[in-house]
């Protein structure tokens, strides 16, 4: 089972799944807002906005390199973490989040893949009936 999409009683859509990568790196919101590159157009204001945006990208590039390295480390560690989760020596994370806000996650853990799949189904049922994943705790990004 990859993921379960559930509609809460208030009409909001939730996604419930077990996390497959070792961890999920987040790009800081300030950085993601700074990466907006405007269209220069044919006026001086557009050109200045483009130049200022490019300067911001150059200043933020070390953070972007760090973010890319963080993702590579996460992907490199994933086979080892998946093996530890499969044999039950490391808990498997189960995540529920509304489709409207991917950063508002609810997180829980299960001992192994089979228990994680059962927890996914239980949380999907909780969201379908009450609109909230009671078995999971609210978590921040990451």
């Amino acid at each position: 089972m990859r993921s379960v999409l559930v509609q809460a009683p208030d009409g909001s859509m939730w996604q419930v799944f077990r996390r497959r990568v070792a961890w999920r790196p987040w790009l800081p919101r300030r950085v993601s807002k700074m990466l907006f590159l405007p269209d220069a157009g044919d006026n001086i204001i557009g050109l200045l906005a483009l130049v200022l945006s490019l300067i911001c990208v150059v200043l933020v590039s070390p953070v972007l390199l760090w973010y890319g390295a963080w993702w590579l480390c996460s992907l490199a560690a994933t086979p080892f973490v998946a093996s530890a989760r499969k044999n039950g020596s490391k808990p498997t994370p189960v995540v529920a989040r509304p489709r409207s806000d991917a950063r508002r996650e609810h997180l829980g853990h299960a001992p192994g893949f089979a228990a994680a799949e059962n927890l996914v189904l239980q949380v999907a049922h909780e969201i379908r009936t009450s609109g909230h994943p009671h078995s999971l705790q609210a978590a921040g990004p990451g």
Side-chain angles (χ1 to χ4, degrees):
M1 171 184 342
R2 295 247 170 195
S3 166
V4 177
L5 276 176
V6 182
Q7 185 171 5
D10 65 355
S12 62
M13 294 299 291
W14 286 71
Q15 182 179 13
V16 183
F17 58 95
R18 76 176 161 83
R19 183 158 289 148
R20 298 191 186 284
V21 293
W23 64 84
R24 183 175 179 196
W26 287 96
L27 189 62
R29 286 183 197 221
R30 291 182 300 232
V31 174
S32 61
K33 287 181 182 177
M34 289 175 68
L35 293 179
F36 172 72
L37 293 174
D39 184 20
D42 59 353
N43 57 19
I44 192 71
I45 302 291
L47 181 62
L48 287 175
L50 179 64
V51 168
L52 286 175
S53 295
L54 288 174
I55 289 172
C56 289
V57 167
V58 167
L59 292 175
V60 173
S61 63
V63 174
L64 294 177
L65 289 174
W66 168 80
Y67 179 69
W70 195 16
W71 259 110
L72 288 176
C73 289
S74 172
L75 293 175
T78 295
F80 304 107
V81 172
S83 174
R85 287 177 182 165
K86 189 168 187 171
N87 68 23
S89 63
K90 183 170 176 61
T92 302
V94 173
V95 179
R97 64 178 174 221
R99 297 286 293 217
S100 60
D101 185 9
R103 287 185 174 255
R104 199 183 78 182
E105 289 188 341
H106 296 268
L107 182 65
H109 298 282
F113 283 175
E117 297 295 330
N118 291 335
L119 184 57
V120 164
L121 295 175
Q122 176 187 342
V123 169
H125 177 71
E126 290 173 357
I127 293 172
R128 197 174 294 120
T129 57
S130 69
H132 188 75
H134 300 289
S135 299
L136 306 179
Q137 296 178 355

